[in-house]
Amino acid sequence: MSQSESWTIGRLLTWTTDYLKQQGSDSPRLDAEVLLATARGCKRIDLYTAFAEIADDPTRTAFRELVRRRAEGTPVAYLVGQREFFSLSFRVTPDVLIPRPETETLVVRLLDLAESDFKTLSPGGRGEGEGESHYKSAPSPQPSPIQGEGVHIADIGTGSGIIAICAAKHLPTAHITAVDASAAALEVARQNAAAHHVADRIEFIVSDLLSALPSEQKFNLIASNPPYVSEAEFATLSPSVRNFEPRQALVAGPRGTEVIQRLVPQAADRLESGGWLLLEVSPMIEPAVREIISQHGGFELGPTLKDSASHPRVVQAKKS
């Protein structure tokens, strides 16, 4: 084979991008770059200075296997074992959902409420209603100590731990409880917390929602990205989601609201007066979730927050 026909980094990327596109990938070029960087043991950006470099046999062998599995539908995050969220890298396994950008809407609101309603102020912080959130996906300045015991936060259905860990990173005096019904998921969350040096600040509890927590334990903020997919909607999801991500973390039941229906009264019992419940939901069930909360009677509904795609995503309610 001549030099022009050799499997250079650039040629591998071009061929694989076309192949994955034919296999139905929504982001074939990105997939190809992430997988090749993994096989090569380098950062993705390093590929751009190595287009003319010939890939060695071990790299090609590892890359071929990753591409084969991706073509079969395995999500890239499971193949490489991690996904970035809120500018942090999180380990992911098939025991947990893959973090999605939509959840950043919930995290930003959680941090803003901790700052505005519970006086968890960071340098350059502001009171409520003073403009856009300064919390973005980039790391924020280290918050300064707050008065009192600190805000008490519960992350219900923590999965890989993204909500709890982001809160711990940005709110160093907060008391955080991370709950999941899956012990395997909690182990992934613990590993992520250790990697980000906040494991000593998060209590991990195996529990069906709040049922296993002490009855006297109260919170200022309860956040949850619960199962909210209906069985009908689940059947329409892409095979990469339907066949690989944990069904119990996705599907709530025939209506999609079954888990939230149980969580709302439990949250009302555990929230301090003036505390907030934040729920990530599917746009398809947002009206039904607002109705569930309204019928309960223990909350004042706030406006539903939209995600970056302008879909209604985070239902927020304040304990009366």
Side-chain angles (χ1 to χ4, degrees):
M1 180 179 288
S2 69
Q3 177 72 19
S4 62
E5 296 173 327
S6 297
W7 284 106
T8 62
I9 297 299
R11 186 178 175 215
L12 278 174
L13 286 175
T14 299
W15 186 92
T16 305
T17 298
D18 291 341
Y19 175 69
L20 291 179
K21 185 176 182 180
Q22 294 170 7
Q23 302 304 310
S25 170
D26 293 332
S27 53
R29 178 68 179 196
L30 177 61
D31 290 357
E33 291 179 359
V34 170
L35 295 179
L36 185 52
T38 299
R40 192 168 177 259
C42 69
K43 296 181 180 179
R44 186 161 65 94
I45 195 171
D46 294 336
L47 297 176
Y48 290 88
T49 60
F51 277 5
E53 180 182 319
I54 297 175
D56 60 27
D57 287 342
T59 295
R60 288 171 54 194
T61 299
F63 183 55
R64 186 183 302 116
E65 176 62 14
L66 290 170
V67 171
R68 180 190 68 77
R69 294 178 62 193
R70 179 68 189 111
E72 291 175 348
T74 305
V76 170
Y78 290 155
L79 291 174
V80 303
Q82 66 89 31
R83 170 61 66 88
E84 184 174 287
F85 177 86
F86 221 66
S87 295
L88 298 173
S89 178
F90 288 89
R91 179 173 184 261
V92 293
T93 74
D95 292 311
V96 300
L97 291 180
I98 297 168
R100 289 166 168 79
E102 293 84 358
T103 307
E104 292 193 358
T105 304
L106 186 153
V107 171
V108 169
R109 182 56 174 160
L110 177 70
L111 298 177
D112 282 345
L113 285 171
E115 174 188 288
S116 62
D117 281 32
F118 304 104
K119 313 306 179 189
T120 311
L121 294 175
S122 60
R126 71 208 189 293
E128 188 172 17
E130 293 183 359
E132 271 191 29
S133 168
H134 66 275
Y135 289 106
K136 303 297 181 185
S137 295
S140 71
Q142 181 73 2
S144 59
I146 62 174
Q147 301 298 316
E149 294 183 351
V151 64
H152 290 255
I153 298 171
D155 173 17
I156 308 303
T158 194
S160 60
I162 56 173
I163 296 173
I165 291 166
C166 287
K169 291 288 285 186
H170 287 271
L171 307 171
T173 58
H175 301 265
I176 300 168
T177 302
V179 172
D180 204 288
S182 165
L186 273 186
E187 180 55 31
V188 175
R190 285 191 187 96
Q191 293 172 8
N192 281 322
H196 292 296
H197 311 291
V198 294
D200 60 334
R201 304 206 14 253
I202 302 173
E203 181 182 16
F204 296 95
I205 298 178
V206 177
S207 177
D208 176 18
L209 303 181
L210 292 152
S211 61
L213 275 64
S215 59
E216 68 275 8
Q217 191 169 5
K218 302 290 185 181
F219 300 96
N220 304 112
L221 292 159
I222 293 177
S224 182
N225 177 12
Y228 56 67
V229 175
S230 69
E231 291 176 355
E233 184 181 2
F234 180 73
T236 70
L237 297 179
S238 72
S240 289
V241 176
R242 194 173 64 246
N243 297 336
F244 293 91
E245 297 198 56
R247 189 181 193 277
Q248 67 272 20
L250 288 164
V251 180
R255 299 184 304 278
T257 57
E258 286 81 356
V259 174
I260 292 172
Q261 184 88 51
R262 293 194 296 119
L263 176 56
V264 167
Q266 291 186 33
D269 289 342
R270 300 307 185 98
L271 279 169
E272 299 280 9
S273 179
W276 286 86
L277 172 64
L278 302 177
L279 296 171
E280 179 177 328
V281 302
S282 162
M284 299 172 66
I285 66 167
E286 184 263 349
V289 172
R290 293 183 65 87
E291 181 62 24
I292 289 169
I293 295 172
S294 295
Q295 289 182 356
H296 179 271
F299 292 96
E300 300 172 15
L301 269 168
T304 298
L305 304 178
K306 294 184 178 180
D307 61 24
S308 59
S310 296
H311 296 135
R313 185 63 62 183
V314 178
V315 175
Q316 49 180 351
K318 189 173 186 178
K319 175 77 175 292
S320 300

